Amino acid sequence: MNALIGISNRIDWLNAKIGVAVGWLILLTTVVSAYNAVMRKAFDISSNGMLEIQWYLFGAVFLLGAAYTLQQNAHVRIDLISDRFSEKTRAWVDIVGHVFFTLPLIGFVIVHGWDFAYQSFVVNEYSPDSGGLIRWPAKALIVLGFTLLGIQVFSELIKKFATLRSAHTVK
């Protein structure tokens, strides 16, 4: 179990570093958004490329930040119910949820997202809008984000099983 905890710690470290970096993308997204608004309202100038950069950054924040959100236990949860459970019961609820719901969804998105991004890369897909950006990097972020989320789920499962193991040995 110690080796698995070591792996979990490395996964947590990686996603924490990415999570902090993604925090800076929020600032960058805000600056790009403000720039777009000022240029459009004050000077009647608009750029499809700048609008798409704004959308790509916004997507990157959520896709790359999801694993960190899970790690920090900041995702949506029904605390009114889960707070009444014992630590062991909460661990089992999380294990069942991750194994039967989260991991299958992640697997589906990675498999189909890979094809989605790869086909975009192969044809060198660009936005159909004038001045628009290349599309495959944004599509590849889907795969990267869900991959990071998948390895974070693995880390969370390790920690939940460690919780169950320690609860079992205490009795």
Short mmCIF file of all heavy atoms in Angstrom, two decimals, residues 57-90:
data_model
loop_
_atom_site.label_atom_id
_atom_site.label_comp_id
_atom_site.label_asym_id
_atom_site.label_seq_id
_atom_site.Cartn_x
_atom_site.Cartn_y
_atom_site.Cartn_z
N LEU A 57 -9.02 29.57 -23.94
CA LEU A 57 -8.51 29.73 -22.58
C LEU A 57 -9.55 29.34 -21.54
O LEU A 57 -9.24 28.68 -20.55
CB LEU A 57 -8.05 31.18 -22.35
CG LEU A 57 -6.78 31.60 -23.06
CD1 LEU A 57 -6.59 33.11 -22.96
CD2 LEU A 57 -5.57 30.87 -22.50
N PHE A 58 -10.79 29.74 -21.77
CA PHE A 58 -11.88 29.39 -20.86
C PHE A 58 -12.03 27.87 -20.79
O PHE A 58 -12.13 27.30 -19.70
CB PHE A 58 -13.18 30.05 -21.35
CG PHE A 58 -14.33 29.88 -20.43
CD1 PHE A 58 -14.41 30.61 -19.25
CD2 PHE A 58 -15.38 29.02 -20.74
CE1 PHE A 58 -15.50 30.48 -18.39
CE2 PHE A 58 -16.46 28.89 -19.89
CZ PHE A 58 -16.52 29.61 -18.72
N GLY A 59 -11.99 27.22 -21.94
CA GLY A 59 -12.07 25.76 -21.97
C GLY A 59 -10.89 25.11 -21.27
O GLY A 59 -11.03 24.13 -20.54
N ALA A 60 -9.69 25.66 -21.47
CA ALA A 60 -8.49 25.12 -20.83
C ALA A 60 -8.59 25.21 -19.32
O ALA A 60 -8.18 24.28 -18.61
CB ALA A 60 -7.25 25.86 -21.34
N VAL A 61 -9.13 26.31 -18.82
CA VAL A 61 -9.28 26.46 -17.36
C VAL A 61 -10.12 25.32 -16.80
O VAL A 61 -9.74 24.68 -15.81
CB VAL A 61 -9.90 27.83 -17.01
CG1 VAL A 61 -10.38 27.88 -15.57
CG2 VAL A 61 -8.91 28.94 -17.29
N PHE A 62 -11.23 25.04 -17.41
CA PHE A 62 -12.11 24.00 -16.88
C PHE A 62 -11.57 22.60 -17.13
O PHE A 62 -11.64 21.74 -16.25
CB PHE A 62 -13.53 24.17 -17.43
CG PHE A 62 -14.23 25.30 -16.76
CD1 PHE A 62 -14.21 26.57 -17.32
CD2 PHE A 62 -14.87 25.13 -15.55
CE1 PHE A 62 -14.81 27.63 -16.69
CE2 PHE A 62 -15.48 26.19 -14.91
CZ PHE A 62 -15.46 27.44 -15.48
N LEU A 63 -11.05 22.35 -18.31
CA LEU A 63 -10.55 21.01 -18.62
C LEU A 63 -9.30 20.67 -17.82
O LEU A 63 -9.18 19.57 -17.28
CB LEU A 63 -10.28 20.89 -20.12
CG LEU A 63 -11.53 20.84 -20.99
CD1 LEU A 63 -11.17 21.07 -22.45
CD2 LEU A 63 -12.25 19.51 -20.82
N LEU A 64 -8.37 21.59 -17.74
CA LEU A 64 -7.12 21.32 -17.03
C LEU A 64 -7.26 21.50 -15.52
O LEU A 64 -6.44 20.99 -14.76
CB LEU A 64 -6.00 22.20 -17.58
CG LEU A 64 -5.68 22.02 -19.06
CD1 LEU A 64 -4.60 22.98 -19.50
CD2 LEU A 64 -5.31 20.58 -19.37
N GLY A 65 -8.28 22.22 -15.09
CA GLY A 65 -8.50 22.43 -13.66
C GLY A 65 -9.38 21.40 -13.00
O GLY A 65 -9.47 21.36 -11.77
N ALA A 66 -10.02 20.54 -13.77
CA ALA A 66 -10.96 19.57 -13.19
C ALA A 66 -10.27 18.59 -12.24
O ALA A 66 -10.80 18.28 -11.16
CB ALA A 66 -11.68 18.80 -14.30
N ALA A 67 -9.09 18.12 -12.59
CA ALA A 67 -8.38 17.16 -11.74
C ALA A 67 -7.99 17.81 -10.41
O ALA A 67 -8.12 17.20 -9.34
CB ALA A 67 -7.14 16.62 -12.46
N TYR A 68 -7.53 19.04 -10.47
CA TYR A 68 -7.17 19.77 -9.25
C TYR A 68 -8.40 20.01 -8.38
O TYR A 68 -8.34 19.89 -7.15
CB TYR A 68 -6.50 21.09 -9.63
CG TYR A 68 -6.07 21.93 -8.46
CD1 TYR A 68 -5.06 21.51 -7.60
CD2 TYR A 68 -6.66 23.16 -8.21
CE1 TYR A 68 -4.65 22.28 -6.52
CE2 TYR A 68 -6.26 23.95 -7.15
CZ TYR A 68 -5.26 23.50 -6.30
OH TYR A 68 -4.86 24.27 -5.24
N THR A 69 -9.51 20.32 -9.02
CA THR A 69 -10.76 20.51 -8.28
C THR A 69 -11.15 19.25 -7.54
O THR A 69 -11.53 19.29 -6.37
CB THR A 69 -11.89 20.94 -9.25
OG1 THR A 69 -11.49 22.14 -9.90
CG2 THR A 69 -13.19 21.17 -8.52
N LEU A 70 -11.04 18.10 -8.21
CA LEU A 70 -11.33 16.82 -7.55
C LEU A 70 -10.36 16.57 -6.41
O LEU A 70 -10.77 16.19 -5.30
CB LEU A 70 -11.27 15.68 -8.57
CG LEU A 70 -11.48 14.27 -8.00
CD1 LEU A 70 -12.88 14.13 -7.40
CD2 LEU A 70 -11.25 13.23 -9.08
N GLN A 71 -9.09 16.81 -6.65
CA GLN A 71 -8.07 16.59 -5.62
C GLN A 71 -8.35 17.43 -4.38
O GLN A 71 -8.17 16.97 -3.25
CB GLN A 71 -6.69 16.93 -6.17
CG GLN A 71 -5.59 16.79 -5.15
CD GLN A 71 -4.38 17.57 -5.54
OE1 GLN A 71 -4.46 18.77 -5.77
NE2 GLN A 71 -3.26 16.89 -5.64
N GLN A 72 -8.79 18.65 -4.57
CA GLN A 72 -9.07 19.56 -3.46
C GLN A 72 -10.45 19.34 -2.86
O GLN A 72 -10.85 20.06 -1.95
CB GLN A 72 -8.92 21.01 -3.92
CG GLN A 72 -7.51 21.37 -4.35
CD GLN A 72 -6.52 21.24 -3.22
OE1 GLN A 72 -6.74 21.75 -2.14
NE2 GLN A 72 -5.44 20.51 -3.47
N ASN A 73 -11.17 18.36 -3.36
CA ASN A 73 -12.52 18.04 -2.89
C ASN A 73 -13.44 19.26 -3.03
O ASN A 73 -14.27 19.53 -2.17
CB ASN A 73 -12.50 17.54 -1.44
CG ASN A 73 -13.73 16.75 -1.09
OD1 ASN A 73 -14.39 16.18 -1.95
ND2 ASN A 73 -14.07 16.72 0.18
N ALA A 74 -13.26 20.00 -4.11
CA ALA A 74 -14.02 21.22 -4.34
C ALA A 74 -15.11 21.03 -5.38
O ALA A 74 -15.73 22.00 -5.81
CB ALA A 74 -13.08 22.35 -4.76
N HIS A 75 -15.34 19.80 -5.80
CA HIS A 75 -16.37 19.52 -6.78
C HIS A 75 -17.74 19.51 -6.10
O HIS A 75 -17.85 19.52 -4.88
CB HIS A 75 -16.08 18.19 -7.47
CG HIS A 75 -15.95 17.03 -6.53
ND1 HIS A 75 -14.85 16.88 -5.70
CD2 HIS A 75 -16.78 16.01 -6.25
CE1 HIS A 75 -15.01 15.81 -4.96
NE2 HIS A 75 -16.17 15.27 -5.27
N VAL A 76 -18.78 19.48 -6.90
CA VAL A 76 -20.14 19.51 -6.38
C VAL A 76 -20.43 18.20 -5.64
O VAL A 76 -20.15 17.11 -6.12
CB VAL A 76 -21.16 19.71 -7.53
CG1 VAL A 76 -22.58 19.64 -7.01
CG2 VAL A 76 -20.89 21.03 -8.23
N ARG A 77 -20.98 18.35 -4.47
CA ARG A 77 -21.30 17.19 -3.63
C ARG A 77 -22.49 17.60 -2.77
O ARG A 77 -22.66 18.76 -2.44
CB ARG A 77 -20.08 16.86 -2.78
CG ARG A 77 -20.28 15.86 -1.72
CD ARG A 77 -19.04 15.72 -0.84
NE ARG A 77 -17.84 15.35 -1.56
CZ ARG A 77 -17.49 14.09 -1.81
NH1 ARG A 77 -18.26 13.10 -1.44
NH2 ARG A 77 -16.37 13.84 -2.44
N ILE A 78 -23.29 16.64 -2.40
CA ILE A 78 -24.44 16.93 -1.53
C ILE A 78 -23.98 16.78 -0.09
O ILE A 78 -24.09 15.72 0.52
CB ILE A 78 -25.62 15.99 -1.86
CG1 ILE A 78 -25.98 16.10 -3.34
CG2 ILE A 78 -26.83 16.35 -0.99
CD1 ILE A 78 -27.00 15.10 -3.82
N ASP A 79 -23.43 17.87 0.45
CA ASP A 79 -22.83 17.83 1.79
C ASP A 79 -23.85 17.55 2.89
O ASP A 79 -23.51 16.96 3.90
CB ASP A 79 -22.11 19.15 2.09
CG ASP A 79 -20.86 19.32 1.25
OD1 ASP A 79 -20.26 18.29 0.88
OD2 ASP A 79 -20.49 20.46 0.97
N LEU A 80 -25.10 17.98 2.69
CA LEU A 80 -26.11 17.73 3.71
C LEU A 80 -26.27 16.24 3.99
O LEU A 80 -26.53 15.83 5.12
CB LEU A 80 -27.47 18.30 3.28
CG LEU A 80 -27.63 19.80 3.40
CD1 LEU A 80 -28.92 20.26 2.73
CD2 LEU A 80 -27.62 20.22 4.86
N ILE A 81 -26.10 15.44 2.95
CA ILE A 81 -26.23 14.00 3.10
C ILE A 81 -24.89 13.38 3.47
O ILE A 81 -24.79 12.62 4.44
CB ILE A 81 -26.79 13.37 1.81
CG1 ILE A 81 -28.20 13.88 1.55
CG2 ILE A 81 -26.77 11.85 1.90
CD1 ILE A 81 -28.76 13.52 0.21
N SER A 82 -23.85 13.70 2.72
CA SER A 82 -22.55 13.04 2.94
C SER A 82 -21.94 13.38 4.29
O SER A 82 -21.19 12.56 4.84
CB SER A 82 -21.58 13.37 1.81
OG SER A 82 -21.23 14.73 1.82
N ASP A 83 -22.23 14.55 4.84
CA ASP A 83 -21.70 14.90 6.16
C ASP A 83 -22.23 13.99 7.27
O ASP A 83 -21.62 13.87 8.32
CB ASP A 83 -22.00 16.36 6.50
CG ASP A 83 -21.12 17.33 5.77
OD1 ASP A 83 -20.13 16.88 5.14
OD2 ASP A 83 -21.41 18.54 5.80
N ARG A 84 -23.36 13.37 7.03
CA ARG A 84 -23.96 12.47 8.04
C ARG A 84 -23.36 11.07 8.00
O ARG A 84 -23.58 10.29 8.91
CB ARG A 84 -25.46 12.39 7.83
CG ARG A 84 -26.15 13.72 8.01
CD ARG A 84 -27.60 13.66 7.68
NE ARG A 84 -28.13 15.01 7.64
CZ ARG A 84 -29.35 15.32 8.03
NH1 ARG A 84 -30.17 14.39 8.46
NH2 ARG A 84 -29.75 16.56 7.97
N PHE A 85 -22.60 10.77 6.93
CA PHE A 85 -21.99 9.45 6.79
C PHE A 85 -20.69 9.37 7.58
O PHE A 85 -20.01 10.38 7.76
CB PHE A 85 -21.68 9.14 5.33
CG PHE A 85 -22.88 9.01 4.43
CD1 PHE A 85 -22.75 9.26 3.08
CD2 PHE A 85 -24.13 8.64 4.91
CE1 PHE A 85 -23.83 9.13 2.23
CE2 PHE A 85 -25.22 8.51 4.07
CZ PHE A 85 -25.08 8.76 2.73
N SER A 86 -20.35 8.16 7.96
CA SER A 86 -19.04 7.94 8.57
C SER A 86 -17.98 8.08 7.48
O SER A 86 -18.27 8.06 6.28
CB SER A 86 -18.96 6.54 9.18
OG SER A 86 -18.97 5.57 8.15
N GLU A 87 -16.73 8.23 7.89
CA GLU A 87 -15.63 8.34 6.93
C GLU A 87 -15.57 7.10 6.04
O GLU A 87 -15.33 7.21 4.83
CB GLU A 87 -14.32 8.54 7.69
CG GLU A 87 -13.15 8.84 6.78
CD GLU A 87 -11.87 9.12 7.55
OE1 GLU A 87 -11.82 8.90 8.77
OE2 GLU A 87 -10.91 9.55 6.89
N LYS A 88 -15.80 5.94 6.62
CA LYS A 88 -15.78 4.69 5.87
C LYS A 88 -16.90 4.66 4.82
O LYS A 88 -16.67 4.28 3.67
CB LYS A 88 -15.92 3.51 6.84
CG LYS A 88 -15.85 2.17 6.19
CD LYS A 88 -15.96 1.06 7.23
CE LYS A 88 -16.01 -0.31 6.57
NZ LYS A 88 -16.20 -1.38 7.53
N THR A 89 -18.08 5.08 5.20
CA THR A 89 -19.21 5.10 4.26
C THR A 89 -18.96 6.10 3.14
O THR A 89 -19.22 5.80 1.97
CB THR A 89 -20.52 5.44 4.99
OG1 THR A 89 -20.74 4.45 6.01
CG2 THR A 89 -21.71 5.45 4.04
N ARG A 90 -18.43 7.28 3.48
CA ARG A 90 -18.09 8.27 2.44
C ARG A 90 -17.05 7.71 1.48
O ARG A 90 -17.12 7.94 0.27
CB ARG A 90 -17.58 9.57 3.07
CG ARG A 90 -18.68 10.48 3.59
CD ARG A 90 -18.18 11.89 3.88
NE ARG A 90 -17.07 11.92 4.80
CZ ARG A 90 -17.16 12.06 6.12
NH1 ARG A 90 -18.34 12.18 6.68
NH2 ARG A 90 -16.08 12.09 6.87
#
